[in-house]
Amino acid sequence: MHSQRGRDLWMFLIFVAIAAVLWIVLTLNEEEQHDLRMPIKITQQPDSVTLVSTGTEALSVSLQCRGTQLMKMAMSHTPTVDIDFRIYRDKGVIRISNADLKALVRNAVGGAQVNVVYPDSLIMSYSTQPGFSVAVVPDYRATAAPQSALVGKPRVLPDSVKLYVANGHEIPARLRRLNTEPILLDNIKQTTTVRAKLITPPNTRAIPDSVDVMFQVEPMIFKKRKVVIDPINVPRNTKLITFPAQIEASFMVPMSVHTRGDATLHVVADYNTIRPGSGKVKLSVRDISDKLYNVQLSADSAEYIIEHL
């Protein structure tokens, strides 16, 4: 009894397995539409050749393929479309028609039918001339947060790039530098580095095509300093003496500048601002270092006497 039931169960399982195998075989042989992105790669490119316009980095492809082909692609990396430079170069450009693109894709995917390729054709310019160095200038607007300061100018790494011009085109006249795309930073609290793309003229390519721009930010401290009052525009044989001879100046200064002590400012008493009957001369600050912020004097004028020599 038990032996007969066991044989029936095994027969059932065998038939189920056979049916499953047949279903898988039939399913894998059916054709289905499959969409994917396929990267392109230029092969056999001489070292003396530099691509200027790369067109696109990948193709959007619609395939009609069997399940076995789909399984093979799923179990491996996405196929790459290899473009042989020697075959498709044509008068200073790489030119590939829609029919050629479909053939390249079909070869990459193992013979599957290619319904659509986008873009439907490729034209990529290149240069056989060596590149020339061009300085990089950042285009930026940056502000520091309260109690902080931007120290110096932004640092660009690298500060120059190689610029390549497509065959059949000339170097743009008076080209001495490349600007970055606009960089907008507000209320920076700490040193910040951003990656910025370069703006290049038509038919050219910069390598690298982007640079790092570093904005150095430091905390500011409050400081006071006694500064000598310097009389200016005093006539010959005349001496202008101010009381006091020094004035207290207060300002904000970045931490590193405070440590070095190399920030300067100049307080003057202008003889030409003296008004008849006035016992004081106006004071003003000149030649302020760009490292000092919010400079203020403890008084805007000082008493004086005039001596004639």
Side-chain angles (χ1 to χ4, degrees):
M1 185 73 175
H2 292 289
S3 175
Q4 182 63 36
R5 288 183 177 179
R7 284 195 298 270
D8 292 343
L9 178 60
W10 277 110
M11 289 296 293
F12 173 77
L13 293 176
I14 290 172
F15 282 118
V16 169
I18 292 172
V21 170
L22 291 175
W23 177 83
I24 292 174
V25 171
L26 292 174
T27 301
L28 291 179
N29 282 326
E30 291 180 356
E31 288 192 346
E32 296 182 9
Q33 182 172 319
H34 181 62
D35 299 330
L36 76 160
R37 293 272 294 174
M38 298 179 63
I40 63 174
K41 179 182 178 182
I42 307 298
T43 62
Q44 304 301 325
Q45 177 181 325
D47 294 337
S48 59
V49 170
T50 303
L51 290 178
V52 173
S53 62
T54 55
T56 180
E57 295 181 353
L59 301 174
S60 297
V61 178
S62 178
L63 303 175
Q64 193 77 23
C65 51
R66 295 190 302 273
T68 52
Q69 293 171 315
L70 285 176
M71 181 178 294
K72 183 178 179 181
M73 286 188 287
M75 296 176 62
S76 60
H77 296 292
T78 303
T80 299
V81 180
D82 292 333
I83 299 174
D84 193 322
F85 175 85
R86 300 168 302 178
I87 297 175
Y88 296 101
R89 64 179 179 178
D90 178 27
K91 299 178 182 179
V93 298
I94 299 174
R95 195 185 308 273
I96 309 175
S97 66
N98 181 256
D100 289 334
L101 271 183
K102 286 186 175 181
L104 290 170
V105 171
R106 186 163 52 251
N107 181 65
V109 297
Q113 180 181 338
V114 182
N115 293 333
V116 179
V117 176
Y118 182 82
D120 58 2
S121 61
L122 291 178
I123 297 179
M124 296 178 283
S125 59
Y126 61 86
S127 174
T128 54
Q129 302 299 319
F132 62 97
S133 294
V134 182
V136 176
V137 178
D139 179 5
Y140 69 95
R141 188 193 71 191
T143 59
Q147 307 302 318
S148 300
L150 289 164
V151 180
K153 295 182 178 181
R155 185 180 179 186
V156 181
L157 294 174
D159 58 3
S160 64
V161 297
K162 289 288 188 180
L163 190 68
Y164 295 85
V165 182
N167 286 354
H169 298 273
E170 296 182 355
I171 299 173
R174 300 181 181 178
L175 180 63
R176 297 292 181 269
R177 67 182 190 180
L178 293 178
N179 291 328
T180 65
E181 292 184 343
I183 303 171
L184 302 177
L185 297 173
D186 291 323
N187 294 319
I188 311 175
K189 297 181 180 180
Q190 58 187 3
T191 297
T192 302
T193 300
V194 297
R195 191 73 179 176
K197 291 187 68 65
L198 299 177
I199 300 175
T200 57
N203 303 307
T204 64
R205 179 187 179 188
I207 298 179
D209 62 358
S210 60
V211 295
D212 286 329
V213 183
M214 183 177 71
F215 297 85
Q216 186 175 353
V217 178
E218 291 184 7
M220 291 197 296
I221 61 173
F222 181 76
K223 188 176 181 180
K224 293 182 178 181
R225 178 194 297 174
K226 289 286 187 178
V227 182
V228 174
I229 301 174
D230 184 19
I232 61 173
N233 296 323
V234 181
R236 294 181 62 183
N237 301 321
T238 302
K239 187 175 183 180
L240 176 64
I241 303 174
T242 61
F243 298 95
Q246 295 181 336
I247 190 75
E248 186 178 75
S250 60
F251 47 85
M252 301 290 289
V253 60
M255 182 71 71
S256 62
V257 177
H258 168 66
T259 303
R260 296 195 306 267
D262 58 354
T264 59
L265 71 158
H266 187 201
V267 179
V268 299
D270 190 346
Y271 184 91
N272 292 335
T273 63
I274 297 176
R275 298 288 180 265
S278 173
K280 292 187 175 183
V281 60
K282 288 186 177 180
L283 304 178
S284 60
V285 182
R286 298 185 179 180
D287 304 325
I288 303 175
S289 169
D290 59 0
K291 302 169 185 176
L292 302 182
Y293 300 84
N294 301 328
V295 178
Q296 295 182 349
L297 300 178
S298 59
D300 61 359
S301 61
E303 295 181 350
Y304 68 93
I305 60 173
I306 297 176
E307 292 184 356
H308 297 283
L309 305 179

